[in-house]
Amino acid sequence: MQHNLRERGLHIRILFFRFKKRIVWLSNFFLFLLSLSSIFLLVLEYGYQLDASVHLRVENAFTLSFLLFFIVLTVRFVFNYREVVREKLLLVDISSYILLFFVLFVTLFFPQEVRYHPFLHFLTTKSLGAVLIALLSIVNISKFIFRLLSSKINPSLLFIYSFLILILLGTGALMLPNSTLPHINLPFVDALFMSTTSVCVTGLCSVDVASTFTLMGQIILLFLIQIGGVGVMTFTSFFALSFMGKFSFGGSILLKDFLNEDNLGNMFKTLVNILIVTFIIEALGAFLIWQSIHDQIGVSWKYELFISVFHAVSAFCNAGISVFEGNLTNPLVIHNYSLQFWVALLIIFGGLGFPIVFNYMKLIRHFVLNRFKVFFKKQDHYIHQPRIINLHTRVVMVSTIILLAGGTLLVFLLERDHAFAGLRFTEQLVSSFFTAVTPRTAGFNNVNPLSLAQPTLFLVMVLMMIGAGPMSTAGGMKVTTVSVAFLSAIDIARGKKRTEIGGQEIDPWYMDRAGAVIILYLSYMMLATGILTFTEKGATVFTLMYEVVSALSTVGLSLNFSPELSEMGKYIIAFSMFVGRIGVLAFLSGILKRYKPKNYRYPKTGLIIG
């Protein structure tokens, strides 16, 4: 009898476990479907001009979405409590749940009382509801996407897919009627081009942003730049890691490779640091830009604030897209040299790369803690050189300083009596500095490029090819790639078999990789330029090569040729921007079949080289 009761109890527990597991799976799947439908409602509400009856139905659908989100999240909390408790941002999850409940409660039962309350009226505003619905949808969609990391997917291919999906979503968003001005009928190719240039943080524009897009369209561009600049996978992984407790080993390894993080346990911390540093620098940059344009461009303070945020994000993400007609050559800001200086600094910080920023943050933290301990006599004062700044940081910083200083000096000497003639010395210096900074993959223009001398344009194209630092918002071949290849070539010419930098020997694998990046970059550049010579009749080869290099290095500088491209030319340049943002080597690694090592080797031989 007792044995039968035990068996029956065990059977009931097994059935309950299976029921609970099925309920959790169904709730997660329903949250994903609900998130997709909520995004559709947001697109319908803000993307189209709706008549009164349809508008009322959409608002009722939003209320229903709130109710369904609350019900399904409640089921998730009840049946998956242990998993929820282990989530990294449990406080954020509970806070969003409480806010959702509160908004839903007052909207359904006390709409009139809250609507006219002096402190709580914001709870019934459409903007708060839209933001809350958008956040809930993004979080749950991110969870679903992150689960794909558990499968055996080539990291490079996943990287390609993430950018491709965002580009297509951005294209659809930019084609919404409310995204463009009433008299504008944006063709698909231009919407695709503008979405690609934003996601790939390039800056080449087939249409003028100011005279084509409404405020909503410009906000869409801003979000595409931000997500594309910091990285689609960074945002997706952050949301997923924030609200998911444990992951498969394969998914962890995949994310570790993407973040270039050696310690699996530090992945979430690295993601948080990337986002925090990004938003702090952009916020500070927006404030400095706002100070430089306040009461000078004849717009409201709200639009001044939006302009400041847009340009701070565009500069730090090395996008080079501006909401001023004619970019920074607009008469309102062409002589605003403080604006140019702050934009240039943001470009430099964005182009250094997050490993560099974190490395120096670690050094500053080391010195501050040591000073603190010495001050409170917890340790004796001592002088030493901490080995915190690694070789990668030193190479990137030295290369950056050389390129910036050399580029500024050369531009100043070439243009002081040409394009910058008539400016004061300090203005010439700032303009030269800005012209040397922007080819580091941020295509802001402070002067008409057609007014620059040919040697300057050639210098700009070389700087565009080199680019900035790895793991940054910038593009190009990267300064570390060019530095390693150049030093290796010098050593080979000297008869030296090993390449050494700062007392450390460079692994031959990195030198081979640097050579592969350069060869593939130049090969694609020549191929794309050659194709454009057939599609763009009448354009010079230099103009076409300048356009291709700008797209492939995700710079955005153009000889005013982007709007003149044919439809096929726009597709080629858009594809070049996409390949450049992924990286030519990473792009090929994603689409080519992986090589399986063999257990044998062929006899070695030689060829006549050089």
Side-chain angles (χ1 to χ4, degrees):
M1 181 73 177
Q2 190 175 3
H3 178 71
N4 291 335
L5 289 175
R6 286 180 181 177
E7 284 187 352
R8 185 174 299 177
L10 180 62
H11 182 66
I12 292 174
R13 284 197 295 270
I14 292 174
L15 289 177
F16 178 75
F17 176 77
R18 290 177 179 175
F19 173 75
K20 175 183 172 182
K21 187 176 181 181
R22 184 166 298 180
I23 289 295
V24 171
W25 184 89
L26 287 174
S27 64
N28 289 330
F29 182 70
F30 189 77
L31 277 174
F32 174 70
L33 295 180
L34 182 58
S35 300
L36 290 179
S37 61
S38 299
I39 293 295
F40 173 76
L41 288 176
L42 288 171
V43 170
L44 197 63
E45 173 70 15
Y46 291 95
Y48 293 89
Q49 295 290 342
L50 305 176
D51 56 43
S53 60
V54 176
H55 182 72
L56 180 61
R57 291 178 183 176
V58 171
E59 287 190 343
N60 292 335
F62 270 123
T63 304
L64 179 61
S65 296
F66 271 111
L67 182 60
L68 291 175
F69 264 119
F70 178 74
I71 293 172
V72 178
L73 287 175
T74 302
V75 171
R76 177 175 172 266
F77 279 133
V78 171
F79 286 92
N80 203 24
Y81 175 74
R82 291 184 179 179
E83 193 71 26
V84 171
V85 171
R86 288 198 294 267
E87 291 174 351
K88 293 182 179 293
L89 291 185
L90 178 63
L91 181 61
V92 177
D93 205 0
I94 292 177
S95 300
S96 62
Y97 179 76
I98 294 174
L99 180 60
L100 173 64
F101 168 74
F102 196 57
V103 171
L104 181 65
F105 183 77
V106 298
T107 302
L108 290 178
F109 299 103
F110 303 101
Q112 298 300 325
E113 292 83 349
V114 175
R115 185 170 299 168
Y116 300 105
H117 195 278
F119 302 109
L120 300 178
H121 68 278
F122 72 94
L123 291 173
T124 59
T125 59
K126 184 191 297 185
S127 57
L128 177 64
V131 169
L132 191 54
I133 283 287
L135 286 177
L136 287 169
S137 301
I138 291 171
V139 166
N140 287 285
I141 291 174
S142 297
K143 290 179 183 180
F144 178 80
I145 293 175
F146 189 76
R147 289 189 180 95
L148 295 177
L149 296 174
S150 300
S151 59
K152 296 180 180 180
I153 301 176
N154 185 346
S156 298
L157 195 58
L158 186 64
F159 195 52
I160 293 172
Y161 286 156
S162 62
F163 272 95
L164 184 60
I165 291 171
L166 184 60
I167 288 171
L168 294 176
L169 290 175
T171 302
L174 292 176
M175 292 188 70
L176 294 173
N178 288 353
S179 297
T180 55
L181 295 172
H183 63 282
I184 299 295
N185 184 18
L186 190 66
F188 172 79
V189 63
D190 287 316
L192 177 66
F193 194 97
M194 293 303 298
S195 177
T196 305
T197 195
S198 300
V199 174
C200 299
V201 289
T202 304
L204 291 173
C205 296
S206 60
V207 296
D208 185 74
V209 174
S211 58
T212 302
F213 296 104
T214 60
L215 179 61
M216 176 184 161
Q218 294 173 9
I219 291 174
I220 291 171
L221 291 176
L222 175 63
F223 276 102
L224 293 176
I225 291 170
Q226 183 70 89
I227 298 175
V230 177
V232 183
M233 290 290 293
T234 300
F235 277 99
T236 301
S237 303
F238 171 75
F239 280 116
L241 279 167
S242 299
F243 293 93
M244 295 177 68
K246 59 182 180 179
F247 322 99
S248 69
F249 181 74
S252 301
I253 292 295
L254 182 60
L255 187 56
K256 179 186 78 72
D257 292 339
F258 169 74
L259 294 174
N260 196 27
E261 176 60 58
D262 295 330
N263 191 345
L264 287 173
N266 289 339
M267 289 189 301
F268 182 76
K269 183 180 178 181
T270 301
L271 286 168
V272 172
N273 288 338
I274 287 175
L275 296 179
I276 289 176
V277 168
T278 297
F279 294 142
I280 289 176
I281 294 176
E282 289 175 350
L284 180 60
F287 173 73
L288 295 172
I289 291 173
W290 177 80
Q291 282 193 322
S292 67
I293 66 172
H294 182 51
D295 290 335
Q296 295 187 28
I297 57 176
V299 297
S300 65
W301 69 268
K302 291 182 180 180
Y303 195 58
E304 278 183 354
L305 187 61
F306 173 74
I307 289 173
S308 303
V309 172
F310 190 99
H311 285 84
V313 173
S314 183
F316 181 75
C317 292
N318 281 214
I321 299 175
S322 174
V323 294
F324 291 114
E325 189 172 354
N327 210 282
L328 298 188
T329 60
N330 189 287
L332 294 173
V333 294
I334 190 171
H335 298 301
N336 192 332
Y337 296 102
S338 60
L339 168 65
Q340 296 178 20
F341 180 75
W342 297 127
V343 168
L345 283 185
L346 286 168
I347 293 170
I348 293 172
F349 276 111
L352 288 176
F354 294 107
I356 310 296
V357 176
F358 294 155
N359 211 197
Y360 276 103
M361 286 173 60
K362 187 176 180 181
L363 179 65
I364 293 171
R365 178 177 176 272
H366 170 82
F367 277 117
V368 169
L369 288 178
N370 274 277
R371 297 298 183 204
F372 180 83
K373 291 177 181 179
V374 169
F375 181 79
F376 287 98
K377 297 182 180 181
K378 291 186 176 182
Q379 71 178 32
D380 295 329
H381 179 72
Y382 61 94
I383 300 174
H384 78 295
Q385 184 66 34
R387 295 182 177 273
I388 294 177
I389 302 302
N390 55 37
L391 181 62
H392 171 80
T393 299
R394 293 202 297 271
V395 170
V396 172
M397 291 302 296
V398 170
S399 303
T400 298
I401 292 171
I402 292 174
L403 290 172
L404 289 178
T408 301
L409 178 62
L410 288 174
V411 172
F412 176 78
L413 294 175
L414 290 170
E415 299 297 338
R416 62 176 179 174
D417 297 323
H418 190 249
F420 301 153
L423 300 178
R424 294 193 298 271
F425 174 76
T426 54
E427 295 173 347
Q428 289 182 336
L429 203 58
V430 172
S431 297
S432 301
F433 177 67
F434 192 87
T435 305
V437 169
T438 51
R440 307 191 80 244
T441 80
F444 286 104
N445 282 319
N446 67 333
V447 63
N448 188 341
L450 296 177
S451 66
L452 296 174
Q454 287 293 317
T456 306
L457 292 175
F458 180 76
L459 171 65
V460 167
M461 189 164 69
V462 172
L463 292 174
M464 288 195 296
M465 290 182 181
I466 296 174
M471 287 291 292
S472 71
T473 59
M477 291 185 287
K478 304 294 189 298
V479 291
T480 48
T481 300
V482 176
S483 298
V484 168
F486 179 78
L487 292 175
S488 177
I490 296 297
D491 287 338
I492 290 174
R494 294 172 55 203
K496 187 178 178 181
K497 294 184 178 180
R498 296 187 298 272
T499 299
E500 299 163 343
I501 304 175
Q504 298 182 55
E505 181 180 342
I506 303 299
D507 191 314
W509 183 85
Y510 292 100
M511 292 185 288
D512 294 340
R513 185 178 179 86
V517 169
I518 293 174
I519 290 173
L520 291 174
Y521 180 98
L522 296 176
S523 299
Y524 183 92
M525 180 195 72
M526 290 186 289
L527 176 64
T529 304
I531 295 174
L532 287 177
T533 57
F534 289 97
T535 63
E536 313 305 311
K537 303 296 183 182
T540 64
V541 174
F542 182 81
T543 299
L544 298 177
M545 184 177 292
Y546 196 94
E547 196 82 10
V548 170
V549 169
S550 181
L552 191 58
S553 295
T554 68
V555 178
L557 294 174
S558 174
L559 299 179
N560 298 336
F561 189 68
S562 296
E564 306 299 325
L565 286 166
S566 64
E567 184 173 342
M568 181 57 66
K570 289 177 181 177
Y571 282 119
I572 294 170
I573 293 298
F575 183 72
S576 300
M577 291 189 285
F578 177 71
V579 172
R581 184 67 180 95
I582 302 297
V584 185
L585 182 59
F587 182 78
L588 282 179
S589 298
I591 63 175
L592 294 180
K593 185 178 180 181
R594 302 299 293 174
Y595 173 76
K596 295 181 179 179
K598 296 180 173 59
N599 295 325
Y600 60 87
R601 296 177 65 176
Y602 291 108
K604 290 185 178 180
T605 186
L607 297 173
I608 300 175
I609 304 295

